[in-house]
């Protein structure tokens, strides 16, 4: 489905739409409807179960979204978290220079400065796309959103530009509390804020985004973590610039650290093994040279091929950040954040697993939505869907409704169950298909007829292939439990 | 435990502490450590299970924290969400007038305006508590935190002062999507922001707070919801100003709407029946007159008696908001938000169940922490604790460690299990007691000795009374499942 169709579908089934829509919306701000908010919380639960809870020294923490000025000066965000803007001298429209040049097919590095941009604009004779006006001088524009607190608004601060900073600020206390062991993983799921100038890209470039980030602090001389499998993964390395299938062993041979390659495997299994993204729609894309943040030793984007954007789009990243962050805050806070483990004092390195939650929700819709004849089907895995199953009485009838309601009460103790009595069975199926409910359970006259050979059995109709089976209550319970369970979580 | 002890305990076990602590902290901003973040997420899961998932037309949604200016002008926040400030003419210190007067024992209404404050200051000859300087003229100070977006920062907005606004802005779309049925419940768990001038009160007066709010939209002529039980509850009504035990029937007789009293029961059961707050530490406190927001028809605070604040403190509220919110946004957005149900057109009324998540976490610690001799015990219910159980090998020994590790692997598939091998058993018990782990399971030599009568059995030591029982693996599994289950959730 294309971008417009996805946005329309998202609105129609209760996934997401622009914030403050009744006031005409707000650029770069989105709200999640009842379906989106629930799928989002399920995705977060999955992320916590897979990335955090499988390791006994990894933990979820939470941090305030507003931060004082100092830490964001120390982290470099106050001086370097910039976009280069150009504006049209005639119509005064502002553009993000890299976006404008990119749309014209002019290649520019992600870290390009004002001078490089100016050079590119002159070389290619770029003018305003709206009225062909001349473009002004490119200027660095800090993307952080500032806040002023206190009675005279003199206490300056920022909305955090990434959740990672809240983790670095808490590393020292948590390291002390958690008995000074490395590797230590600290994760946050929360919001980050960026004054994006061209935020009109659905959930892909937002002014307020949700991140799920895990920072692993470790001793680079001691993290003895090796890749386990030989499964090849799609990778675009910076060196070749081409997408190829590479095994973990080949990546290690090419010089990527073993702990890094091991985490590529873990992430690859999360998407292809657990969530079920087709192998060919998943890849790592390495950033290097000026496209890579200077503090990253290795930087790969996690990309999913989405039809709605005509190709691969970033949904996260795996960043070997070295010791830049703790070193910066040691200086900024004037507090030594190095650690002493086994008689050695050193600054821990950081491996960051970063995921854009909104982009992951978008990706899920793109990958798992299918049109099947007239049917809209959201074929997401059962453990991510809003309901595990739906219960319907076949038609208005006291005996059927009584039985259906009993079954609902019994199942609802263990599972998340929808109950629907309104409209034809076909309509009720359609409503469940489009929100991704894996099973629809119908109570019919045979279910309640003690003389029928199908007495006590119900019809289960499956979302994905519309096949129907007749099962007992016990079998039903097993089916639902199986669809709800997360498979393969321990297999990595 | 007193306030200082609670704060110290919270820091020591990983619950919460000021944000950006290594930079000296930030007033009114807190971070949650690994224990606090996990208990918070469990509390949220409980809240969703109890207040949302038991009703098939209630849903969780999510909304952006930044909002454009217009809706917050329409809601009245831009003009009326004010504190009255006074400052010392000598030392320039600012005070929230109601807090300053309150601390001096001078009673003032919550909604008092500048003139009333000025009168009270003159009457009582109030001066600056620091240097006895004269106080300047009281001034209204808007508590919203503003943000400026866009390339020239001309797009004005605010961080939302309450999550409720995100719900009102989405009511119309959700009502349409969810097949136009009332009552419709829409809930958000998220952050709200207030430029508090005197934010130095732990988790009770923060500049960034977490709310869990459920807005129920209904037809006041048709919501046929009656109280079910006769259990008396502690209530301070506005009329009497005294705390008394009242049954639901008595409250209805006193004129409180039946649907309102029913929700008092639901909230009362949540705290006393599910979470286990002692009856005498729970009460409703009615606000009336100038203490009540003008749009509320009935307003009761939910209060818990906390030792750390020497008495009852608000943890939430039950607000019958009438149709103020939808009417305001109908005008502001120039879009009729009234509904047509069963041939009648009307503006839905709103019943708001509002909870301060941070205050609820604080309350949990206050109510459930106990000192037992030398032991620090966080006696929270099993379904809120970070771990369901901990597994220990008795001592360093290959056979014990192998068996313990097998048991850990097996239990960790179903439950959240800690594993600890370091230090004496006593030390390991102490670590688990203070973070609230209900059971500690020890593998000893009898467990692995095939000749022992206790072969295959483990010792389970209970957090609350330190009693020990010897059980088989099957019994163990049942014990843990029982402690983890939420009891009484369907009993209301």
């Amino acid at each position: 489905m294309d971008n417009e169709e996805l946005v329309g579908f998202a609105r129609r089934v209760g996934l997401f739409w622009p914030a403050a829509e009744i006031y005409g919306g707000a650029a770069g701000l989105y709200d999640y409807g009842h379906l989106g908010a629930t799928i989002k919380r399920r995705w977060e639960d999955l992320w916590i179960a897979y990335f955090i809870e499988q390791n006994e020294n990894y933990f979820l923490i939470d941090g305030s979204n507003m931060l004082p000025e100092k830490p964001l000066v120390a982290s470099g965000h106050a001086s370097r978290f910039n976009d280069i803007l150009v504006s049209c001298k005639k119509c005064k429209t502002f553009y993000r220079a890299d976006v404008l040049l990119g749309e014209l097919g002019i290649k520019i590095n992600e870290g390009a400065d004002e001078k490089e941009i100016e050079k590119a604009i002159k070389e290619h004779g770029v003018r305003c796309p709206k009225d062909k006006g001349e473009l002004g001088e490119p200027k660095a524009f800090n993307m952080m959103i500032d806040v002023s607190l206190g009675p005279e608004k003199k206490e300056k601060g920022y909305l955090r530009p990434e959740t990672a900073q809240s983790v670095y600020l808490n590393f020292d206390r948590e390291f002390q509390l958690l008995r000074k062991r490395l590797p230590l993983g600290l994760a946050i799921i929360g919001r980050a804020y960026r004054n994006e100038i061209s935020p009109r890209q659905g959930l892909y470039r937002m002014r307020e985004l949700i991140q799920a980030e895990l920072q692993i602090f470790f001793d680079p001389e001691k993290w003895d973590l090796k890749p386990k499998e030989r499964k090849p993964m799609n990778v675009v390395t910076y060196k070749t610039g081409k997408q190829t299938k590479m095994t973990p062993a080949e990546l290690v041979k090419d010089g990527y650290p073993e702990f890094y390659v091991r985490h590529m495997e873990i992430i690859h299994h999360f998407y292809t093994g657990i969530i079920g993204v087709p192998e060919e729609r998943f890849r790592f894309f390495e950033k290097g040279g000026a496209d890579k943040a200077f503090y990253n030793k290795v930087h790969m984007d996690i990309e999913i091929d989405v039809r709605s954007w005509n190709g691969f789009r970033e949904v996260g990243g795996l960043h070997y950040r070295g010791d830049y962050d703790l070193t910066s805050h040691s200086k900024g806070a004037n507090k030594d954040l190095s650690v002493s483990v086994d008689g050695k004092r050193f600054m821990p390195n950081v491996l960051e697993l970063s995921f854009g939650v909104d982009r992951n929700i978008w990706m899920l819709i793109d990958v798992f939505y299918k049109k099947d004849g007239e049917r809209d089907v959201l074929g997401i895995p059962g453990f991510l869907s809003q309901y595990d199953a739906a219960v319907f009485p076949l038609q208005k009838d006291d005996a059927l409704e009584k039985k259906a309601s009993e079954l609902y009460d019994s199942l609802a103790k263990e599972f998340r169950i929808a109950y629907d009595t309104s409209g034809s069975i076909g309509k009720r199926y359609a409503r469940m298909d489009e929100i991704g409910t894996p099973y629809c359970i119908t109570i019919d006259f045979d279910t309640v007829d003690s003389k029928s050979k199908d007495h006590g059995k119900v019809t289960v109709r499956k979302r994905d292939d519309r096949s129907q089976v007749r099962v007992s209550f016990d079998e039903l319970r097993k089916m639902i439990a199986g669809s709800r369970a997360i498979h393969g979580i321990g297999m990595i």
Side-chain angles (χ1 to χ4, degrees), chain A:
Chain A
M1 115 173 102
D2 69 22
N3 201 298
E4 210 176 309
E5 283 166 348
L6 197 152
V7 167
F9 175 74
R11 204 186 288 262
R12 198 166 75 244
V13 297
L15 284 161
F16 50 78
W17 44 77
E21 227 188 353
I22 57 172
Y23 286 86
L29 301 179
Y30 280 80
D31 283 358
Y32 284 93
H34 63 281
L35 182 63
T38 304
I39 292 177
K40 177 160 74 67
R41 196 156 176 102
R42 303 252 195 284
W43 186 93
E44 291 173 3
D45 285 339
L46 171 70
W47 189 85
I48 293 169
Y50 184 77
F51 288 104
I52 312 303
E53 292 183 342
Q54 292 196 89
N55 192 308
E56 51 117 22
N57 207 34
Y58 289 10
F59 300 91
L60 195 68
I61 66 169
D62 200 3
S64 76
N65 292 9
M66 297 192 289
L67 284 174
E69 207 171 15
K70 274 188 191 170
L72 293 162
V73 169
S75 70
H77 283 89
S79 54
R80 275 192 297 256
F81 193 62
N82 298 329
D83 273 342
I84 312 288
L85 300 192
V86 286
S87 66
C88 170
K89 287 185 175 175
K90 224 159 113 189
C91 69
K92 312 291 178 202
T93 305
F94 281 82
Y95 299 96
R96 240 181 79 171
D98 60 337
V99 173
L100 179 64
L101 293 172
E103 282 169 1
L104 297 168
I106 301 163
K107 170 101 182 98
I108 195 91
N109 290 324
E110 276 192 24
D113 66 11
E114 293 95 317
K115 282 183 189 158
E116 290 171 72
I117 299 276
E118 186 152 33
K119 199 168 148 237
I121 288 177
K122 283 207 176 130
E123 253 179 45
H124 295 87
V126 179
R127 302 184 79 92
C128 176
K130 281 196 188 165
D131 61 5
K132 303 289 158 206
E134 198 188 333
L135 295 174
E137 201 181 323
K139 278 185 184 146
F141 174 79
N142 195 281
M143 292 170 69
M144 283 201 297
I145 296 169
D146 55 290
V147 290
S148 303
L149 303 175
E152 299 178 285
K153 304 203 173 183
K154 281 183 177 167
E155 301 166 36
K156 296 290 174 194
Y158 295 104
L159 289 164
R160 66 180 176 204
E162 56 179 17
T163 61
Q165 292 306 319
S166 300
V167 169
Y168 305 139
L169 294 175
N170 284 299
F171 164 74
D172 184 61
R173 176 160 299 281
E174 287 290 359
F175 179 71
Q176 306 297 333
L177 285 178
L178 292 162
R179 293 191 272 157
K180 306 184 183 182
R181 290 176 298 161
L182 295 182
L184 168 64
L186 296 174
I188 289 183
I189 300 178
R191 285 167 190 264
Y193 303 80
R194 297 171 182 182
N195 190 3
E196 290 281 358
I197 299 314
S198 318
R200 290 162 204 86
Q201 297 209 26
L203 303 189
Y204 273 80
R205 189 165 289 149
M206 297 163 78
R207 286 180 169 167
E208 187 177 327
L209 54 143
I210 303 171
Q211 297 184 311
E213 294 192 311
L214 166 63
Q215 316 292 322
I216 307 169
F217 300 87
F218 65 99
D219 176 352
E221 288 175 10
K222 281 219 170 167
W223 202 9
D224 188 24
L225 191 68
K226 294 186 195 321
K228 275 190 187 169
E229 289 179 285
R230 275 149 223 237
K231 253 197 193 166
M233 302 175 274
N234 293 319
V235 186
V236 181
T237 61
Y238 182 67
K239 205 174 61 185
T240 68
K242 277 181 198 154
Q243 183 176 324
T244 47
K245 285 226 174 249
M246 294 180 77
T247 63
E250 286 165 347
L251 286 157
V252 171
K253 214 177 138 202
D254 269 12
Y256 300 97
E258 288 185 316
F259 68 80
Y260 189 93
V261 176
R262 173 67 185 141
H263 281 86
M264 291 175 70
E265 283 187 330
I266 290 170
I267 291 166
H268 173 252
H269 182 66
F270 179 70
Y271 283 101
T272 62
I274 308 256
I275 294 179
V277 172
E279 198 59 54
E280 70 276 10
R281 295 181 71 169
F282 175 93
R283 76 178 186 192
F284 288 103
F285 187 101
E286 187 180 12
K287 295 279 178 77
D291 279 344
K292 173 172 79 66
F294 70 93
Y295 49 77
N296 277 337
K297 295 185 181 219
V298 190
H299 174 156
M300 292 201 193
D301 285 348
I302 305 161
E303 294 192 333
I304 306 286
D305 183 9
V306 280
R307 306 286 142 81
S308 48
W309 290 106
N310 301 311
F312 280 96
R313 277 273 179 151
E314 181 188 356
V315 293
L318 177 62
H319 313 133
Y320 178 17
R321 294 176 72 131
D323 65 5
Y324 171 76
D325 304 288
L326 292 184
T327 303
S328 305
H329 286 301
S330 289
K331 282 182 206 147
N334 199 16
K335 177 179 172 70
D336 182 5
L337 299 175
S338 69
V339 302
S340 179
V341 178
D342 297 336
K344 187 177 75 168
R345 180 157 280 282
F346 63 101
M347 197 62 85
N349 277 217
V350 170
L351 182 67
E352 174 183 71
L353 284 69
S354 173
F355 299 79
V357 177
D358 315 285
R359 293 176 175 197
N360 272 275
I361 300 301
W362 179 287
M363 170 284 284
L364 281 176
I365 314 308
D366 185 286
V367 171
F368 290 102
Y369 169 88
K370 67 173 182 203
K371 189 95 191 165
D372 175 23
E374 286 300 294
R375 295 200 306 151
D376 285 319
V377 184
L378 186 58
I380 51 174
F383 51 82
L384 291 176
S385 66
Q386 180 177 18
Y387 298 112
D388 299 321
V391 171
F392 308 149
L394 180 66
Q395 62 184 61
K396 284 232 174 296
D397 175 279
D398 284 350
L400 297 186
E401 289 180 64
K402 180 165 174 284
K403 191 76 203 167
S405 156
E406 278 171 23
L407 181 63
Y408 171 85
D409 287 343
S410 149
L411 290 175
K413 285 194 185 109
E414 271 179 85
F415 305 108
R416 303 175 211 260
I417 307 292
Y419 188 77
D420 194 354
T421 59
S422 91
S424 70
I425 284 286
K427 269 200 183 145
R428 286 182 261 172
Y429 283 159
R431 279 198 289 262
M432 290 299 150
D433 286 342
E434 69 178 15
I435 67 171
T437 311
Y439 299 127
C440 291
I441 304 156
T442 304
I443 304 288
D444 58 27
F445 290 105
D446 284 326
T447 314
V448 295
D449 177 3
S450 61
K451 284 172 200 153
S452 164
K453 71 171 174 50
D454 273 350
H455 176 240
K457 292 191 172 178
V458 293
T459 300
V460 179
R461 181 265 199 187
K462 295 178 190 169
R463 174 194 70 193
D464 295 329
D465 60 5
R466 291 191 288 180
S467 66
Q468 305 200 352
V469 287
R470 194 90 195 168
V471 300
S472 70
F473 292 157
D474 271 359
E475 290 165 314
L476 176 63
R477 185 161 271 114
K478 274 184 208 149
M479 278 179 76
I480 301 174
S483 142
R484 190 200 181 144
I486 303 168
H487 297 286
I489 203 161
M491 285 171 65
I492 184 71

